[in-house]
Amino acid sequence: MRTKWAIVTGTVFALLLSACGSGGDSDTSTALRPPPKVATLGPFVGECGHVTDDEVRGLAGLVQISQVMRTSVGCNWQSAGYGSTSVTFASYRGSPIAREKAWVSNQGRDPETIDVGGRTGFQALDPSGDICDLATQLGDDFFEWSMAFERYSVHDNPCDRVRKMAELTVQRLQ
């Protein structure tokens, strides 16, 4: 019985040792994956992109704002009524703008490269002309303004409106 356990233990030990070998003739060890990139914080965009409720109301052409939601990463302004016009601001720390651009593309909006105050980004208008997303790169961060007009309303291009909000955000960066 002892011999049997000695053989089993020896076999397991030999297998463990063979699994730990380098498997190559090189003395240098290589990492299996590159070290993670540490994102550098961009400028502080402030609460709601440093844009006030009154400025949003005026720039978006809202007669009245019935609801405002504020979180640590974004804000949303809603005019009165179901399916009414809304404006959203969001700030993304250490997140790739390319992911947002891909998501917007998957929603059927065709992103075009833009410049806002010397900062690159994209804007994408929905084929219906009712929704626009505009994102601006800030180092490893980005922010996004989005506007959705209520359906079947007569309106101009929402990208023109959110661009003015993005310009204010860039002007007021800290």
Side-chain angles (χ1 to χ4, degrees), residues 2-157:
R2 246 188 216 187
T3 306
K4 192 183 217 179
W5 281 109
I7 292 172
V8 169
T9 303
T11 303
V12 169
F13 187 65
L15 287 172
L16 286 173
L17 284 177
S18 67
C20 293
S22 69
D25 295 335
S26 174
D27 288 341
T28 62
S29 62
T30 58
L32 296 176
R33 62 180 118 151
K37 179 183 178 220
V38 177
T40 306
L41 293 180
F44 179 59
V45 295
E47 182 181 67
C48 302
H50 288 301
V51 179
T52 68
D53 294 349
D54 286 338
E55 288 171 325
V56 169
R57 186 179 41 73
L59 292 170
L62 305 175
V63 175
Q64 179 181 346
I65 296 174
S66 66
Q67 183 177 4
V68 178
M69 178 208 55
R70 288 180 172 79
T71 69
S72 61
V73 294
C75 298
N76 177 267
W77 297 264
Q78 190 80 36
S79 61
Y82 175 74
S84 60
T85 300
S86 67
V87 177
T88 303
F89 171 81
S91 174
Y92 299 89
R93 289 278 195 193
S95 183
I97 195 171
R99 184 183 307 144
E100 185 70 11
K101 191 174 188 178
W103 183 86
V104 166
S105 294
N106 286 336
Q107 301 306 307
R109 299 178 202 128
D110 186 25
E112 65 178 87
T113 302
I114 60 164
D115 180 280
V116 177
R119 311 243 182 200
T120 60
F122 72 85
Q123 74 179 22
L125 182 63
D126 185 72
S128 69
D130 293 333
I131 302 169
C132 180
D133 297 298
L134 189 149
T136 305
Q137 188 77 56
L138 302 172
D140 288 333
D141 305 337
F142 74 95
F143 69 83
E144 180 176 24
W145 281 98
S146 181
M147 182 171 183
F149 277 113
E150 67 182 288
R151 281 189 107 44
Y152 311 113
S153 66
V154 178
H155 54 76
D156 56 352
N157 184 336

